[in-house]
Amino acid sequence: MSGLIVLSDEEKQEMLQDAKDIGRGKVFLAARKRSQQGGIDEYIDFLSKNMEFVEVIPSKRVVTNNKL
């Protein structure tokens, strides 16, 4: 299981239409610029405020080679 998600033809067409929409592109560009304006303190604050909404499920990892 590679975790790869296979999109249907309909989903692919919707994504292509979104990519060609100039208006949506401008919205995503503005969101990206806004998200990059903050510093590390704002990022850590954002993560701290939203931790309660994330369900953490640790994966079991069996290690047989304990060498550094």
Side-chain angles (χ1 to χ4, degrees):
M1 296 185 67
S2 66
L4 181 65
I5 298 173
V6 179
L7 299 175
S8 69
D9 289 337
E10 182 180 350
E11 290 170 322
K12 290 177 187 176
Q13 290 303 317
E14 288 175 358
M15 290 179 72
L16 287 172
Q17 287 175 349
D18 265 355
K20 293 177 184 176
D21 187 349
I22 295 171
R24 273 187 62 80
K26 288 180 181 179
V27 171
F28 278 102
L29 180 61
R32 189 179 91 215
K33 286 180 180 178
R34 183 170 180 233
S35 71
Q36 293 174 346
Q37 288 176 350
I40 188 71
D41 292 331
E42 289 85 4
Y43 181 65
I44 292 172
D45 190 40
F46 167 79
L47 292 177
S48 298
K49 288 180 181 176
N50 292 291
M51 284 298 293
E52 64 188 74
F53 302 112
V54 178
E55 182 179 344
V56 179
I57 303 172
S59 61
K60 183 176 181 179
R61 183 174 164 194
V62 178
V63 179
T64 58
N65 182 0
N66 295 323
K67 295 180 182 179
L68 295 176

